[in-house]
Amino acid sequence: LITVGAQHGLYLIAQLLLDSNTIFGIENPGYVDMRNVARLTSATVNPLPVSHQGLVLNDAVNECDYVYVTPSHQFPTTVTMPIEHRVELLARATEFDFVIIEDDYESQLEFSGYPAPALKSLDSSDRVLYVGSLSKTLAPGLRIGYLVGPAKLVKELRALRRLMLRHPPANNQRATALFLERGHHDSLLKNLRRAYKERLQTLVIALREYLPEAVHSLALGGSSLWIKGPENLDARKLREYALQAGVLVDSGDVYFLGSERPLNYFRLGFSSIPNGHIRPGVAKLARVINDMGGSRSLGQ
Ligand SMILES: Cc1ncc(COP(=O)(O)O)c(C=O)c1O
């Protein structure tokens, strides 16, 4: 089903499937919009912990009716779920009777050349609803996403889509289809991967040099890095001060659910920053953190 971005697909799924009897498991930290979409329904939203290997497969997962997961690049930590965990998550979905919502919003931005298979591609028992997007590669403003699921469900989702907004603009769909068909998206991806890989490397080297004690996620691709600052760093203040210095960072507290929201995490995006601007930007950011008095304990 073609949707108005991945977001719309997630919204349709939530509206159709979640009710007061459902437990909706969501990664913590996780995608804020998904959490808010789930909260528009009467489902119980359960936070599920995340490690350096993505979603932690603990007992809480088994209790869910739906598990929302971002296995390619966990959002916001960007870590990748290993294949063994993917296989286990699928096995558990059958054993404990839950459905997986796989949000693969930027799967194409993988730099190693060996992407882990999507959960959907390993799904032999129709346990996975797959949501994808062209926002991170082609253009977010185009609002083209897609959803893959069992035919019967897609029929229902299509009917709901029709009631909401009939369909995404046909001219956008047509232009996108031609763009894909003629191979332009494939060559765009090649260029994006090359450019983003270079930017990520520059960012990692600059962090090592200017913020050597920073702990950052191990990103195999994507468009941002997730960084842990010192325990006493307030990344909301860092965002404010860094902005004054001309550097935009995304403070991480909003991505956490529950009453204990650490304040010392932040995201650095690199997808729209020319390679040459990255080092000077990190140098500026390091100066801001130094001025805030936090560099010494960065990452502890
Ligand atoms: C984790 C995640 N899921 C879904 C989306 C939604 O993408 P779209 O622009 O296709 O609605 C985003 C957008 O940034 C995202 O970060």
Side-chain angles (χ1 to χ4, degrees), residues 4-7 10 31 68 70 75 103 105 133 135-136 143:
V4 184
Q7 182 75 32
L10 298 170
Y31 184 43
Y68 168 82
T70 47
F75 190 88
D103 181 352
Y105 62 105
S133 174
S135 287
K136 298 279 167 130
R143 310 306 304 137

Side-chain angles (χ1 to χ4, degrees), residues 58-279:
N58 60 14
D59 288 349
V61 171
N62 309 342
E63 285 152 25
C64 297
D65 298 294
Y66 295 91
V67 174
Y68 168 82
V69 66
T70 47
S72 290
H73 302 137
Q74 200 276 332
F75 190 88
T77 66
T78 76
V79 299
T80 300
M81 183 186 278
I83 179 83
E84 312 83 69
H85 288 212
R86 291 173 193 242
V87 171
E88 184 182 336
L89 180 61
L90 283 163
R92 284 189 191 209
T94 308
E95 185 180 349
F96 297 98
D97 192 22
F98 60 81
V99 168
I100 299 163
I101 300 165
E102 179 176 23
D103 181 352
D104 219 6
Y105 62 105
E106 60 172 22
S107 62
Q108 302 99 332
L109 298 179
E110 212 279 339
F111 309 151
S112 75
Y114 302 98
L119 291 167
K120 185 68 195 158
S121 73
L122 304 168
D123 173 31
S124 51
S125 46
D126 263 354
R127 287 274 159 188
V128 180
L129 302 178
Y130 181 92
V131 171
S133 174
L134 292 179
S135 287
K136 298 279 167 130
T137 55
L138 188 50
L142 196 58
R143 310 306 304 137
I144 294 281
Y146 46 94
L147 191 159
V148 184
K152 232 169 121 181
L153 179 76
V154 167
K155 196 171 167 212
E156 292 290 318
L157 290 166
R158 182 172 286 115
L160 181 60
R161 185 187 73 175
R162 180 189 157 83
L163 295 180
M164 277 177 75
L165 46 70
R166 207 151 285 242
H167 56 72
N171 57 329
N172 289 352
Q173 292 193 56
R174 174 84 180 135
T176 305
L178 290 172
F179 192 78
L180 292 173
E181 187 193 18
R182 293 177 185 181
H184 299 309
H185 192 249
D186 290 337
S187 38
L188 172 67
L189 282 179
K190 245 191 238 164
N191 290 334
L192 284 181
R193 286 193 200 109
R194 194 180 320 118
Y196 287 6
K197 186 177 178 181
E198 199 183 12
R199 290 174 195 181
L200 174 59
Q201 281 166 350
T202 306
L203 178 57
V204 168
I205 291 167
L207 284 170
R208 212 175 290 151
E209 183 174 339
Y210 293 110
L211 292 169
E213 290 159 74
V215 178
H216 62 79
S217 55
L218 179 65
L220 303 178
S223 49
S224 65
L225 267 190
W226 176 249
I227 298 183
K228 184 182 183 196
E231 297 302 334
N232 62 351
L233 178 79
D234 184 341
R236 296 170 307 184
K237 291 215 176 88
L238 173 63
R239 184 186 57 191
E240 208 181 300
Y241 299 146
L243 187 61
Q244 287 164 15
V247 180
L248 195 60
V249 308
D250 184 18
S251 47
D253 60 308
V254 294
Y255 301 109
F256 290 92
L257 266 158
S259 49
E260 278 181 39
R261 291 167 164 226
L263 294 178
N264 57 325
Y265 287 84
F266 58 96
R267 281 171 76 225
L268 292 180
F270 53 82
S271 61
S272 61
I273 305 182
N275 202 33
H277 291 197
I278 292 175
R279 256 177 79 82

